[in-house]
Amino acid sequence: MIDVLVVDDDFRVAEINAKYVGKVPGFRVAARAHSAAQALAAVERGGIDLVLLDHYLPDGTGLQLVHRMREQGHGTDVIMITAAGDVTTVQTAMRLGALHYLVKPFTFAALRVRLDSYAALRRTVDRVGGRGVAGQEQVDRIFGALRTAPAPSSPGLPSGHSEPTTDLICSVLHRANHSLSAHEVAAETGLSRSTAQRYLRHLEQAGRLSLSLKYGDTGRPEHRYAWVAP
């Protein structure tokens, strides 16, 4: 399990974000904090893998907290979740090593895409780490694990399709190193199989996915979908 510290000065927002985290398989909320001091104390106690960090805190900014964490040798991973959308703050977050930057307001699907890509990063690092020295291929895999697939623009989506759901499905297929069935995509995303099938069919028709058939001993062939690089 990936243990998450949720940091937001608004108790209600922190609770909502914590519930979102709890809905993503492989993640659990280890602690909540509503100030920089509380967050730093939680990191110092140990056991935190990832911090979901607001920028505007009552006793400082989120970036000041990250800077202090780094000065004290805490390499805990950080994803910024904030209403601060100015370029200077975004650039500073990047320079301090924030892995993602999610601007409020956001949907659960948008957060899940970032958490899933973070989990993929950890799995990739674990696989590569056992080899000691990483070659260029392994380095590319590590950096590529954090990329989130862009969703098609709104005009290209049929009625009843949303960009966050499309983004989520694209991200799952983008990270997979093999084709997936609608059932597998549904399990990965938390969507129903029928919803996953509807989005997969549209993405295949739009040229975003390739379709292959897997024949079993009996019954109809299984439809499997794979990401097509743009």
Side-chain angles (χ1 to χ4, degrees), residues 39-59:
L40 183 60
V43 170
E44 289 176 338
R45 286 195 296 269
I48 302 296
D49 300 306
L50 175 66
V51 181
L52 299 186
L53 181 59
D54 189 16
H55 183 56
Y56 299 116
L57 300 172
D59 53 347

Side-chain angles (χ1 to χ4, degrees), residues 32-202:
R32 298 175 182 82
H34 308 290
S35 68
Q38 291 176 357
L40 183 60
V43 170
E44 289 176 338
R45 286 195 296 269
I48 302 296
D49 300 306
L50 175 66
V51 181
L52 299 186
L53 181 59
D54 189 16
H55 183 56
Y56 299 116
L57 300 172
D59 53 347
T61 68
L63 295 185
Q64 289 171 343
L65 172 61
V66 178
H67 183 70
R68 189 172 178 186
M69 287 167 51
R70 301 302 182 241
E71 282 187 330
Q72 296 184 6
H74 300 297
T76 310
D77 294 321
V78 173
I79 293 178
M80 297 296 297
I81 298 182
T82 176
D86 60 283
V87 174
T88 299
T89 301
V90 174
Q91 287 181 323
T92 304
M94 293 175 63
R95 290 165 181 160
L96 289 173
L99 298 178
H100 277 301
Y101 197 107
L102 190 57
V103 179
K104 298 177 180 177
F106 59 91
T107 63
F108 166 64
L111 176 60
R112 177 162 187 169
V113 166
R114 274 78 182 172
L115 293 181
D116 283 343
S117 71
Y118 174 72
L121 170 67
R122 288 174 62 95
R123 291 193 298 269
T124 303
V125 171
D126 287 343
R127 288 195 297 266
V128 175
R131 303 176 185 178
V133 178
Q136 187 62 53
E137 180 182 354
Q138 287 73 37
V139 171
D140 289 343
R141 288 180 183 173
I142 292 173
F143 276 85
L146 275 177
R147 296 178 187 142
T148 55
S153 58
S154 296
L157 291 178
S159 176
H161 288 62
S162 71
E163 287 194 13
T165 302
T166 303
D167 194 12
L168 177 60
I169 291 178
C170 285
S171 179
V172 168
L173 270 297
H174 184 251
R175 293 195 312 272
N177 57 8
H178 54 82
S179 61
L180 298 176
S181 66
H183 177 77
E184 291 168 330
V185 171
E188 285 285 332
T189 59
L191 301 169
S192 68
R193 186 185 182 282
S194 60
T195 298
Q197 181 65 63
R198 180 159 49 90
Y199 277 81
L200 289 168
R201 188 180 301 113
H202 164 70

